[in-house]
Amino acid sequence: MTDAMEIPATCPVAPRGWPNPLLAEYDQVPAGRPLTQVTMPSGSKAWLVSQHDHIQRLLADDRFSVEPHPTFPIRFPAPQELLDMIARDSKNLLVTMDPPRHTRVRQMALPDFTIKAAEKLRPRVQELIDGYLDRMEAAGGPLDLVQALALPLPAQVICEMAGIPEAERDVFTRNAAIMVGTRHSYTMDEKMAANNELMEYFATLVTEKQKNPTDDMLGNFITRAGRTDEFDHHGLTLMTKMLLLAGYEFIVNRIALGTQTLLDHPDQLKALQADPAGLMPKTVNEVLRHFSIVDEIIARVALADVEIDGVTIKEGEGILVLKGLGDRDPAKYTDPDAFDIHRDSRDHLAFGYGVHQCLGQHVARLMMELCFTSLFTRFPGLHVVESDEPIELVDGLPPVHKLVVGW
Amino acid sequence: MSGMRVSVDRDRCIGAGLCVMSAPSVFDQEDDTGLVVLLDDRPAGVDSEHARKIAEHICPSKAIRITGG
Ligand code: HEM
Ligand code: SF4
């Protein structure tokens, strides 16, 4: 049986119901739809993968590649110059490497991203959160939780992991905020300037750590990489950028969206507060599942013909993985659009699947857990003041939205 | 059910640690490498159910194999 269908759609970039002018076609890909082939604005064709089971099977399949390829699915028409630059840079980025190189490089970073490594950060992350909440209390509400906590906290945690001295953190936080901000707040030129300033800073950081090795996540990575000829200096600078910025916007969004959603479900919040040990891990997973839809979609290209449920994805054809729809697949989760901290969402796709599954996930979980616990303990009367602010998705970029709260 | 055997393939493991989160008495993550270590190759009771779910749906790199049971 062949379920495949061809629709003349341009590529969807975000899910149904979300206010984005580019999104009309997403409605044509309801959750649970079979593989669908689309033509993208760039002219290349790709298969949309939206079922949970298909996503897991294809992302765990070694016959798909993330490396540059003439028919790699590119969603927007881009000038050749930009494509060349991306192809060049991608050779130095973990997220665009295939095994066996991916395996070697991931293992250079892995020891500092284990569950135990993340647990070691717990007291310090708590201390940082307490500091932000002290400042909130002193300033008095209502205020924007994104600016007060969700945006600065991950920046500080990442700086600590990278051993960036306090005096130099401003370069990171200022520019990182611009890079994850929506186009409403910053122009493309401002983003480019922020990127350049960050790259310059990371280059000096790499040099410094090569000269004086440090025992932190970034220092250890640079030391391990230095024992191989895997990267030159520029390569290390690009990897540094990826290790420090890969998940920044994602975690900012999750802290804000998770807080808002828990406030929108007072019964569940009450249950969580009554049994934090039992329900917090589930809550974190459910926030991740429920908001899987806000991220970039994942792309791969087939290196061989791959047969799945009667459909053949031919060698050279791309796939676009709509993990947000996979995480709302009714065949996988009952009443998938409902937020429910009691369900088992451990197998959500928010962190991806397959060998590239998020390296920073335990640090991300830790930040989410401690933010939720601390906020609701410290401010039992926490409530949303401005809730009509729509969650923005600009050109498919994830939202860093405003969340004004009082307490 | 008592015949269930668990094995791990460290060449496939990417150290996501999800097995450890779901069944800490069956799996651990090695400190210096971050890769999976099998603590119990014959889990029983609820651990065996977790192990099965982890192998089938949670481990992102298909590094865990279940035989028997
Ligand atoms: C809730 C927050 C986060 C979400 C939802 C998230 C999501 C993801 C996803 C979906 C991927 C896979 C991309 C692909 O397969 O193409 C990924 C990879 C990655 N993430 Fe995260 N991430 C988060 C937080 C973080 C943090 C805090 C860090 C670093 C401190 C981080 C570092 C990375 C790295 C380095 C990779 C590449 C791994 C590889 O290619 O092997 N992430 N993330
Ligand atoms: S879940 Fe799989 S990939 Fe992750 S640590 Fe366990 S065996 Fe390795």
Side-chain angles (χ1 to χ4, degrees):
Chain A
M1 182 194 72
T2 296
D3 272 341
M5 39 182 23
E6 187 153 351
I7 52 172
T10 52
C11 174
V13 288
R16 64 220 133 108
W18 292 61
N20 181 320
L22 294 172
L23 302 187
E25 288 79 12
Y26 222 105
D27 284 333
Q28 300 175 26
V29 195
R33 161 165 287 194
L35 292 152
T36 305
Q37 200 173 38
V38 290
T39 306
M40 291 170 295
S42 60
S44 62
K45 290 199 177 198
W47 293 91
L48 300 182
V49 190
S50 61
Q51 287 182 22
H52 192 281
D53 170 56
H54 285 166
I55 293 175
Q56 284 202 329
R57 277 153 68 192
L58 295 182
L59 285 182
D61 192 316
D62 306 338
R63 291 169 295 176
F64 287 90
S65 166
V66 286
E67 294 190 355
H69 188 282
T71 54
F72 196 90
I74 292 164
R75 284 164 302 134
F76 299 100
Q80 193 56 41
E81 223 175 298
L82 184 64
L83 294 179
D84 289 346
M85 193 190 89
I86 293 171
R88 230 177 13 251
D89 284 358
S90 71
K91 290 198 176 67
N92 288 302
L93 298 178
L94 182 64
V95 77
T96 39
M97 283 176 197
D98 287 338
R101 181 153 184 244
H102 172 267
T103 314
R104 293 198 297 274
V105 174
R106 183 159 169 131
Q107 286 181 6
M108 291 175 192
L110 190 55
D112 292 286
F113 283 99
T114 59
I115 297 176
K116 282 175 220 158
E119 274 307 311
K120 276 198 202 131
L121 299 172
R122 180 179 285 269
R124 181 58 183 147
V125 175
Q126 184 66 58
E127 193 179 10
L128 285 166
I129 293 174
D130 290 343
Y132 289 115
L133 300 195
D134 286 346
R135 262 162 271 169
M136 277 172 65
E137 199 156 24
L143 48 72
D144 179 6
L145 192 72
V146 172
Q147 296 301 328
L149 178 69
L151 199 60
L153 174 75
Q156 289 304 319
V157 172
I158 292 165
C159 283
E160 304 250 334
M161 293 176 72
I164 295 180
E166 299 257 3
E168 293 168 23
R169 288 190 189 175
D170 177 55
V171 187
F172 180 83
T173 49
R174 190 165 32 85
N175 291 306
I178 296 173
M179 288 185 63
V180 304
T182 62
R183 295 223 187 127
H184 278 337
S185 5
Y186 302 101
T187 63
M188 216 46 197
D189 284 349
E190 285 170 313
K191 280 173 182 272
M192 292 295 281
N195 181 55
N196 292 343
E197 197 181 339
L198 270 181
M199 282 299 283
E200 247 170 65
Y201 173 66
F202 291 152
T204 56
L205 191 63
V206 168
T207 308
E208 179 54 34
K209 291 203 185 262
Q210 282 176 325
K211 265 194 283 179
N212 303 305
T214 51
D215 182 18
D216 48 61
M217 179 277 283
L218 185 62
N220 290 334
F221 177 79
I222 289 172
T223 304
R224 289 185 203 111
R227 294 186 201 123
T228 70
D229 54 7
E230 215 71 72
F231 297 99
D232 61 13
H233 189 274
H234 180 61
L236 282 176
T237 306
L238 285 165
M239 259 309 285
T240 299
K241 178 175 145 191
M242 130 134 256
L243 287 170
L244 304 197
L245 282 173
Y248 184 46
E249 57 197 319
F250 297 164
I251 183 67
V252 172
N253 288 329
R254 283 338 181 279
I255 294 170
L257 294 169
T259 305
Q260 182 176 13
T261 305
L262 283 166
L263 289 172
D264 284 348
H265 295 82
D267 291 354
Q268 296 188 42
L269 179 54
K270 217 151 129 212
L272 171 64
Q273 286 173 306
D275 178 18
L279 283 174
M280 187 51 90
K282 287 181 146 201
T283 302
V284 169
N285 277 330
E286 178 64 356
V287 169
L288 287 160
R289 181 197 70 87
H290 199 250
F291 290 108
S292 217
I293 47 178
V294 301
D295 299 331
E296 278 283 312
I297 52 191
I298 296 174
R300 302 282 189 266
V301 63
L303 298 180
D305 289 3
V306 176
E307 171 91 24
I308 177 161
D309 280 1
V311 173
T312 304
I313 299 171
K314 294 206 191 69
E315 180 185 346
E317 286 178 346
I319 57 169
L320 292 170
V321 172
L322 308 178
K323 70 185 175 75
L325 289 188
D327 274 344
R328 303 241 181 156
D329 183 346
K332 182 75 197 173
Y333 301 104
T334 0
D335 195 6
D337 289 332
F339 176 77
D340 178 5
I341 62 171
H342 299 284
R343 72 164 97 227
D344 179 1
S345 16
R346 278 177 300 173
D347 46 10
H348 66 73
L349 305 164
F351 290 127
Y353 200 73
V355 298
H356 291 279
Q357 198 191 49
C358 183
L359 187 61
Q361 59 180 287
H362 300 298
V363 186
R365 287 178 205 278
L366 178 73
M367 284 191 253
M368 290 170 68
E369 177 204 320
L370 293 182
C371 277
F372 300 152
T373 309
S374 310
L375 269 173
F376 296 120
T377 312
R378 181 82 166 259
F379 304 119
L382 195 75
H383 58 275
V384 176
V385 173
E386 236 182 87
S387 60
D388 54 345
E389 174 92 6
I391 293 168
E392 287 173 24
L393 267 159
V394 181
D395 293 356
L397 291 176
V400 174
H401 72 294
K402 200 159 110 184
L403 181 64
V404 180
V405 294
W407 52 87
Chain B
M1 70 164 267
S2 56
M4 179 207 244
R5 277 295 279 273
V6 181
S7 61
V8 294
D9 180 349
R10 284 167 51 103
D11 291 335
R12 288 196 71 87
C13 172
I14 54 145
L18 297 178
C19 51
V20 188
M21 286 179 72
S22 286
S25 54
V26 183
F27 304 100
D28 195 8
Q29 238 178 335
E30 193 173 61
D31 286 346
D32 0 330
T33 61
L35 299 180
V36 65
V37 182
L38 189 59
L39 302 175
D40 179 1
D41 68 345
R42 291 169 188 270
V46 69
D47 276 342
S48 73
E49 285 157 39
H50 280 311
R52 197 176 293 280
K53 170 148 186 171
I54 295 162
E56 279 169 18
H57 292 294
I58 298 181
C59 171
S61 65
K62 302 281 171 239
I64 300 171
R65 194 159 298 271
I66 306 276
T67 47

